[in-house]
């Protein structure tokens, strides 16, 4: 008989909830908030406070956050260092405009680009990931003077009318014209795709598929690259604007490609005059553990990098980082952003970078993430319903054979006790699921 898992202790005491009753909140939700903003759970959570990896609801119940506001709370809810930095700046200066100088945008641009390899040293700050990818598309087309951009099926690059052409997840597609000049290519998914083996991906956990590839050879990768070449030969002109990919797909369930896929794809794109865009909205800022940026895990240097979510630990900010030449293409005419690079955003962004370094969160992502992946792999071996466990660092997917994928992407401050608790809860839930299925 399974006993209830014991939640790790937390010394933080949440404030008492003082807003409207739950039922009144539900009524406002129905009447005044767009119905497109869907909620999870039969009884949606009403959360009112957070502290590091913990969230508290209106009744004072505590939750271990394993989704981090959709991979956005990077260093922990209300991280003390980031909170103090924001409070100080709130009392100093909120907003000027980009037509004047203020200290924090310069300090932050210098600090952020110090984490990126040459020649990725020029920043354009925006407010969201969709906005950053929108601008990256625009810059790719301006710079190359070509129009067509390729993305992978299963990709999520934003919900704006422009980026929806790159996003290739059916649920996000609306029946309005979009995607002019955007082509998708086969996703090199080594678990669900036509090809995959036992050494393909850069993860402590491989698929259950077997292959006879010798060291340094990957048949699956070769096949997926052939598909990529086929797209280049049939779906786009001889010259293209670019190719965009997430180093690990986020919304699609932490899907990883064969190790050398991006390296070979980048080369093919550049041969066509295109530039390569790495969407680091979910993989950036140390989340993959072994490296600070997801593209580094593939041994490539992109021409444009887009950043959002974890960049501000929940503060609405994003960035496009590129080369001086590509950035110059946008300067031929005016392109203005009212809130991008505000004094407040830049101070928050700098404090997040400091917290990642001071708290050792990249190393923590690697150690705790690897531990979690290996523990989850034991559940895959134990339960038939768990088809795949994959990912790197704290960017994790658990794919159920007959259902959806769990996306586990917690604040990077979680520890091994939190992992033990999580795995115990999942084990109990899976056990109950199997017992119910057997009783039918």
């Amino acid at each position: 008989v399974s006993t209830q898992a014991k939640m790790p202790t937390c010394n933080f005491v949440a404030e008492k909830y003082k807003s409207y009753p739950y039922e009144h909140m539900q009524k406002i939700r129905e009447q005044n908030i767009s119905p497109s903003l869907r909620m999870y759970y039969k009884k949606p959570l009403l959360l009112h406070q957070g502290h590091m990896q913990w969230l508290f609801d209106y009744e004072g119940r505590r939750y271990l956050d394993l989704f981090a506001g959709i991979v956005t709370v990077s260093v922990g809810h209300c991280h003390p260092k980031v909170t103090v930095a924001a409070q100080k700046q709130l009392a100093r200066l909120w907003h000027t405009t980009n037509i004047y100088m203020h200290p924090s945008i310069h300090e932050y641009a210098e600090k952020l680009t110090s984490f990126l390899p040459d020649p990725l040293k020029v920043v354009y700050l925006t407010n969201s990931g969709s906005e950053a990818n929108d601008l990256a598309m625009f810059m790719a087309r301006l710079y190359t003077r070509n129009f067509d951009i390729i993305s992978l099926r299963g990709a999520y690059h934003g919900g704006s009318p422009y980026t929806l052409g790159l996003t290739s997840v059916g649920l996000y597609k609306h029946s309005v014209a979009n995607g002019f000049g955007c082509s998708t290519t086969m996703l090199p998914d080594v678990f669900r795709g036509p090809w995959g083996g036992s050494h393909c991906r850069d993860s402590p956990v491989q698929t259950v598929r077997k292959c006879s590839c010798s060291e340094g050879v990957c048949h699956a990768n070769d096949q997926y690259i052939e598909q990529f070449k086929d797209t280049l030969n049939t779906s786009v002109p001889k010259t293209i604007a670019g190719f965009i990919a997430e180093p690990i797909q986020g919304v699609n369930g932490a899907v990883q490609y064969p190790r050398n896929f991006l390296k070979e794809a980048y080369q093919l794109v550049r041969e066509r005059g295109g530039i390569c865009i790495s969407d680091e909205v979910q993989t950036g800022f140390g989340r993959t553990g072994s490296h600070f940026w997801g593209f580094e895990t593939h041994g490539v240097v992109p021409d444009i990098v887009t950043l959002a979510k974890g960049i501000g630990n929940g503060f609405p900010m994003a960035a496009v980082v590129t080369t001086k030449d590509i950035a110059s293409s946008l300067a031929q005419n005016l392109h203005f952003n009212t809130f991008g690079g505000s004094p407040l955003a830049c101070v928050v962004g700098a404090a997040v970078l400091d917290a990642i370094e001071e708290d050792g969160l990249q190393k923590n992502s690697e150690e705790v993430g690897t531990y979690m992946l290996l523990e989850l792999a034991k559940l895959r071996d134990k339960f038939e319903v768990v088809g795949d466990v994959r990912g790197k660092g704290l960017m994790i997917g658990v794919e159920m054979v007959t259902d959806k994928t769990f996306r586990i992407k917690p604040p990077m401050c979680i520890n091994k006790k939190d992992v033990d608790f999580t795995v115990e809860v999942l084990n109990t839930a899976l056990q109950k699921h199997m017992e119910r299925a057997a009783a039918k």
Side-chain angles (χ1 to χ4, degrees):
V1 178
S2 57
T3 55
Q4 196 169 1
K6 190 161 168 41
M7 186 181 264
T9 56
C10 168
N11 297 325
F12 180 81
V13 179
E15 295 166 15
K16 193 169 169 51
Y17 175 78
K18 290 176 182 169
S19 191
Y20 299 139
Y22 185 90
E23 292 71 24
H24 189 49
M25 287 292 189
Q26 278 187 310
K27 195 171 280 186
I28 294 170
R29 187 90 190 188
E30 286 162 18
Q31 293 173 355
N32 307 113
I33 293 176
S34 171
S36 68
L37 298 172
R38 297 178 191 177
M39 293 185 290
Y40 281 11
Y41 311 117
K42 285 175 187 168
K43 186 184 178 185
L45 300 183
L46 174 55
L47 302 166
H48 91 111
Q49 193 162 10
H51 174 74
M52 301 309 282
Q53 66 266 50
W54 303 105
L55 285 167
F56 301 85
D57 73 7
Y58 71 108
E59 293 177 315
R61 196 180 286 110
R62 177 165 59 101
Y63 299 83
L64 175 61
D65 184 4
L66 289 179
F67 206 22
I70 312 185
V71 211
T72 299
V73 179
S74 46
V75 298
H77 291 280
C78 304
H79 188 288
K81 185 182 182 76
V82 183
T83 302
V84 167
Q87 285 168 337
K88 282 184 179 172
Q89 189 60 36
L90 272 170
R92 188 184 298 125
L93 180 68
W94 287 29
H95 181 78
T96 53
T97 160
N98 288 315
I99 64 173
Y100 312 123
M101 292 204 294
H102 62 82
S104 59
I105 192 171
H106 302 85
E107 292 162 0
Y108 182 58
E110 181 182 55
K111 190 187 283 261
L112 178 63
T113 55
S114 73
F115 285 84
L116 285 140
D118 282 326
L120 297 168
K121 296 295 175 186
V122 184
V123 185
Y124 193 112
L125 292 158
T126 66
N127 310 288
S128 74
S130 291
E131 203 180 343
N133 282 332
D134 207 284
L135 183 58
M137 291 175 76
F138 192 51
M139 289 166 91
R141 285 168 169 167
L142 275 174
Y143 177 73
T144 62
R145 300 189 178 184
N146 298 324
F147 193 67
D148 289 72
I149 301 177
I150 296 169
S151 63
L152 298 172
R153 288 181 202 126
Y156 182 83
H157 297 294
S160 68
Y162 213 31
T163 56
L164 261 183
L166 302 177
T167 290
S168 185
V169 178
L171 284 171
Y172 290 91
K173 295 286 194 184
H174 293 261
S175 53
V176 295
N178 73 79
F180 184 45
C182 298
S183 297
T184 63
T185 190
M186 184 185 274
L187 169 63
D189 180 348
V190 296
F191 172 65
R192 276 193 179 268
W195 306 286
S198 40
H199 316 287
C200 299
R201 59 192 181 200
D202 177 17
S203 173
V205 185
Q206 298 295 330
T207 71
V208 289
R209 296 170 91 164
K210 297 292 175 230
C211 67
S212 54
C213 297
S214 54
E215 187 79 24
V217 174
C218 182
H219 172 70
N221 185 59
D222 295 344
Q223 294 299 319
Y224 288 120
I225 286 294
E226 284 305 312
Q227 289 293 317
F228 194 81
K229 286 177 182 174
D230 188 56
T231 300
L232 288 170
N233 293 333
T234 60
S235 303
V236 293
K238 286 178 183 171
T239 56
I240 62 172
F243 165 61
I244 185 168
E246 305 153 90
I248 297 174
Q249 284 192 335
V251 169
N252 200 31
V255 174
Q256 292 179 281
Y257 328 126
R259 278 185 172 86
N260 287 316
F261 179 81
L262 278 190
K263 190 180 274 188
E264 292 180 40
Y266 272 28
Q267 192 178 331
L268 291 167
V269 168
R270 285 169 173 155
E271 285 169 7
R272 295 267 182 149
I275 63 174
C276 301
I277 305 166
S278 183
D279 179 336
E280 296 279 346
V281 170
Q282 295 198 22
T283 50
F285 299 95
R287 181 163 288 279
T288 63
S290 62
H291 296 80
F292 202 78
W293 306 113
F295 66 78
E296 293 173 306
T297 68
H298 293 273
V300 295
V301 178
D303 305 293
I304 299 179
V305 176
T306 55
L307 313 169
K309 291 190 179 281
I311 192 174
N313 199 47
F315 192 91
M317 61 184 294
V320 177
V321 187
T322 189
T323 68
K324 198 163 189 173
D325 281 352
I326 295 170
S328 298
S329 64
L330 197 61
Q332 307 308 311
N333 290 293
L334 283 178
H335 189 278
F336 188 75
N337 192 306
T338 299
F339 297 112
S342 76
L344 200 49
C346 292
V347 161
V348 167
V352 168
L353 287 173
D354 288 344
I356 291 168
E357 286 205 293
E358 289 166 19
D359 297 358
L361 295 183
Q362 183 184 332
K363 187 167 185 273
N364 192 62
S365 287
E366 181 165 39
E367 289 178 1
V368 176
T370 300
Y371 176 70
M372 191 176 212
L373 279 159
L374 294 172
E375 289 298 305
L376 291 168
K378 292 176 187 173
L379 296 183
R380 181 186 68 181
D381 298 341
K382 184 176 175 183
F383 297 102
E384 252 179 53
V385 72
V386 182
D388 195 28
V389 170
R390 55 181 174 258
K392 190 171 166 63
L394 287 170
M395 182 95 178
I396 297 170
V398 179
E399 185 151 341
M400 313 306 282
V401 174
T402 55
D403 209 337
K404 299 283 192 288
T405 304
F406 284 118
R407 292 161 63 201
I408 301 174
K409 296 152 185 189
M412 295 190 288
C413 55
I414 71 157
N415 58 47
K416 288 183 180 176
K417 283 184 180 171
D418 300 331
V419 172
D420 291 339
F421 169 67
T422 301
V423 173
E424 200 179 331
V425 169
L426 276 173
N427 183 68
T428 304
L430 288 163
Q431 193 74 51
K432 283 179 179 171
H433 170 79
M434 298 305 279
E435 284 164 11
R436 277 198 303 269
K440 279 181 182 175

